[in-house]
Amino acid sequence: MTRSCGTEAKYPAKPITVIVPFAAGGGLDMVARTLEKSAPQYLGQPFVVVNKPGGAAINGMNGLASAKPDGYTIGVVPVSVMLQPLYGQTRYHYPTALEPLAKVVSAPAIISTLTNQPWKNISDLVEYAKIHPGEIKFGHPGLGTSPHITGEAFAREAGIDIVQVPFKGDSESLAALLGGHIQVIITTPTSIKEHIKYGTIKTLGVAEEKRLTIPDFENVPTLKEQGINVAFSFWNGIAVPKGLPVDEKAKLVAGLKQMINDPAFKKDMESIGMPVEYLGPNEFSEEWIIDNAKLTRIVKETGIAGLIAAYKK
């Protein structure tokens, strides 16, 4: 569609809404609110962050997919945007209803517990779970999210019976852990970094191929090092409703690239345990497709779709 120079010059002419599909305080929310700081500098308009928790990101993703593709509604999306349609419960097929604009950060999944728990490592936890089947509850930010998949894959690989408890975001699952309502949390370093510093929470394992380089987490062994063959690579990125006009897309892509690669943004993200791994729309689209195929396979192998269906009955 051809546009006049006057129309092009106007975008963005008003604040841009950023949908976060989880409650305030979690990793995606921190990404959005850190980007919010530099939006006026690089895009000429502020970001307005709107949290839409619930349904393991479904509420927020529905809001994003149904928004007008005019560049005034964007979303911070987790890798679980690939997962929800596999469970047969979504209004939209998000991998095709949304368009990826930028990969922002890596979001490694970690298994953590309160410091006063007796388990010093994954082996201790597994041994306890085998002796006390069904006693350990692990919290995560929603049914079918990447931390949920990590937990189910961990339990399956370890041959243990632990009970998953879904919440509306990382902050809620963290509160449940601190309150003693669950014994284990599967989350990202961002959500528990301060508690690691204060010594109230300890991390038993990282579900990555390699150990993390994030301060306070460098010495945490991977699950593979501890005999559990589970490793995922999860990300958070920026997506928009399908059909965004070329001019608006180009303006957003250019602004986001500057914002994500800004040294201050990188420093802020690394300080909360989320290393920046920027990819532009073409490279991110390729990873989007590859991860969709990989996660489809993992969901089938773990039987997690059946677990979700059974839980909802």
Side-chain angles (χ1 to χ4, degrees):
M1 181 177 179
T2 303
R3 293 173 177 269
S4 67
C5 293
T7 302
E8 290 176 9
K10 289 181 180 179
Y11 178 81
K14 60 182 181 179
I16 297 170
T17 296
V18 183
I19 293 177
V20 176
F22 291 111
L28 265 71
D29 184 65
M30 292 184 182
V31 169
R33 295 186 187 280
T34 307
L35 287 173
E36 182 182 29
K37 297 177 183 178
S38 60
Q41 176 184 352
Y42 292 116
L43 283 169
Q45 289 288 342
F47 278 174
V48 178
V49 179
V50 177
N51 296 90
K52 290 190 174 184
I58 288 178
N59 290 350
M61 292 301 93
N62 285 346
L64 180 60
S66 63
K68 186 177 179 180
D70 57 4
Y72 288 105
T73 303
I74 68 176
V76 183
V77 297
V79 72
S80 56
V81 71
M82 305 287 175
L83 295 166
Q84 295 301 343
L86 300 176
Y87 310 141
Q89 59 189 45
T90 59
R91 188 188 310 166
Y92 301 93
H93 182 256
Y94 305 124
T96 53
L98 300 176
E99 184 174 359
L101 292 190
K103 178 182 176 181
V104 183
V105 295
S106 171
I110 56 177
I111 299 178
S112 302
T113 188
L114 294 178
T115 304
N116 60 12
Q117 291 287 7
W119 317 305
K120 296 180 180 179
N121 49 46
I122 289 295
S123 296
D124 289 348
L125 178 63
V126 169
E127 182 180 354
Y128 183 92
K130 287 182 176 179
I131 298 173
H132 305 87
E135 184 176 314
I136 293 178
K137 298 185 178 75
F138 77 90
H140 56 77
L143 287 171
T145 58
S146 48
H148 181 200
I149 282 189
T150 300
E152 298 289 3
F154 162 64
R156 182 184 180 90
E157 181 69 19
I160 56 177
D161 176 17
I162 56 178
V163 180
Q164 65 89 19
V165 183
F167 293 91
K168 290 183 179 180
D170 287 322
S171 56
E172 288 191 8
S173 58
L174 173 60
L177 178 70
L178 295 172
H181 305 294
I182 56 177
Q183 291 73 47
V184 173
I185 185 174
I186 300 181
T187 183
T188 61
T190 307
S191 300
I192 64 167
K193 190 171 179 63
E194 292 304 311
H195 293 279
I196 293 291
K197 286 183 178 179
Y198 295 138
T200 52
I201 291 177
K202 59 186 176 184
T203 297
L204 304 179
V206 179
E208 290 274 328
E209 293 289 350
K210 299 179 180 179
R211 291 194 183 194
L212 304 180
T213 58
I214 302 168
D216 300 320
F217 293 90
E218 307 100 318
N219 297 321
V220 179
T222 66
L223 296 184
K224 282 191 170 184
E225 287 180 78
Q226 302 180 77
I228 306 296
N229 188 27
V230 173
F232 300 113
S233 179
F234 298 127
W235 45 254
N236 295 333
I238 303 294
V240 293
K242 200 80 168 185
L244 185 66
V246 174
D247 297 330
E248 281 78 351
K249 179 178 177 179
K251 187 72 178 287
L252 267 176
V253 167
L256 287 168
K257 181 178 181 180
Q258 290 177 299
M259 294 162 70
I260 296 165
N261 287 308
D262 186 301
F265 178 77
K266 287 185 174 182
K267 183 179 180 181
D268 285 347
M269 286 292 95
E270 289 170 2
S271 72
I272 59 174
M274 300 183 78
V276 171
E277 293 185 3
Y278 173 78
L279 289 179
N282 294 333
E283 297 84 357
F284 190 30
S285 293
E286 291 177 7
E287 187 165 328
W288 187 278
I289 293 169
I290 291 170
D291 284 353
N292 190 36
K294 178 182 178 182
L295 290 168
T296 298
R297 175 179 55 80
I298 292 172
V299 166
K300 289 180 179 178
E301 289 177 352
T302 59
I304 197 168
L307 292 169
I308 290 173
Y311 182 83
K312 289 196 164 189
K313 286 181 179 179

